[in-house]
Amino acid sequence: MLIAFIAFAGSAYSQSAIDKYFSYLDGDTSLTKVTINSKMFELFSYMDSETEEEKEFMEAISNIESMKVMVKENASNAEALFKEAIQKPGKEFELLMEVDQDEEHFYFLINEKNGVIAELLMIGNSDGEFIILSLTGEIDLKQISRLSKSMNINHMEHLQKIDKD
């Protein structure tokens, strides 16, 4: 019984917010879903980094366990999906930043435990596109802002504002 409890507790911890709160979207075939697991991030560690930018990239991904993204493009109901989605994350998440600009509205939420950010969650609506992105691991926000710049991840450029603090 103890082993079953430990296995359950371990699997509950490794679930991302997308797994926990947005599984109701799994049946929506118009959503594009991308999952990058720790093994892919581990493969990056074998690359040689020659420039300072490459070294920053390697440092930024070194503690990331997974990245999950759900995107619905050309969604006539993007605003409704966004409004529903921002209500879903549990009390373990707190709002880090909100961006409301022109046709873009994004929430950046974090799940912080003992001073370490365990998950960064982005929920957004941008000009008919609905997006949810989750990064799990031990997350340093300044490194993530640099990572988003290096990888050119859509809409994560808002996090670059954190790097200026």
Side-chain angles (χ1 to χ4, degrees):
M1 192 160 136
L2 179 61
I3 293 171
F5 175 75
I6 291 170
F8 174 76
S11 68
Y13 179 77
S14 65
Q15 275 193 324
S16 73
I18 289 178
D19 298 327
K20 286 172 69 174
Y21 301 113
F22 302 104
S23 61
Y24 68 95
L25 293 170
D26 281 343
D28 188 339
T29 57
S30 64
L31 277 168
T32 300
K33 300 167 193 127
V34 177
T35 301
I36 301 173
N37 292 316
S38 60
K39 191 65 173 174
M40 178 64 102
F41 292 110
E42 185 181 316
L43 290 174
F44 281 120
S45 69
Y46 297 118
M47 294 173 42
D48 290 331
S49 52
E50 297 172 6
T51 67
E52 189 61 34
E53 187 175 275
E54 289 172 345
K55 288 177 186 173
E56 285 180 4
F57 174 78
M58 300 301 283
E59 188 177 333
I61 65 167
S62 65
N63 292 319
I64 295 177
E65 293 173 6
S66 73
M67 180 170 99
K68 294 186 179 199
V69 183
M70 298 176 92
V71 179
K72 186 170 187 170
E73 296 176 332
N74 303 317
S76 59
N77 62 341
E79 181 67 23
L81 287 168
F82 171 78
K83 286 181 178 177
E84 181 180 6
I86 61 174
Q87 303 299 316
K88 296 290 183 184
K91 293 178 182 178
E92 71 270 23
F93 283 90
E94 65 179 287
L95 183 64
L96 175 68
M97 180 171 64
E98 178 180 1
V99 177
D100 190 0
Q101 174 184 359
D102 300 325
E103 296 292 317
E104 292 188 338
H105 199 175
F106 288 90
Y107 274 34
F108 292 86
L109 303 113
I110 57 171
N111 179 352
E112 186 176 7
K113 295 177 182 173
N114 302 322
V116 175
I117 297 172
E119 184 168 9
L120 170 71
L121 180 64
M122 178 183 81
I123 304 171
N125 169 29
S126 176
D127 196 26
E129 178 182 71
F130 170 66
I131 183 168
I132 302 173
L133 179 139
S134 167
L135 285 174
T136 61
E138 290 183 20
I139 299 169
D140 179 315
L141 288 177
K142 289 189 178 192
Q143 288 180 339
I144 294 303
S145 72
R146 292 182 196 122
L147 175 64
S148 67
K149 190 176 186 181
S150 299
M151 291 182 68
N152 196 21
I153 300 172
N154 282 344
H155 312 300
M156 292 278 290
E157 71 272 4
H158 299 297
L159 283 176
Q160 293 171 21
K161 297 172 188 170
I162 294 170
D163 199 24
K164 295 176 184 170
D165 294 338

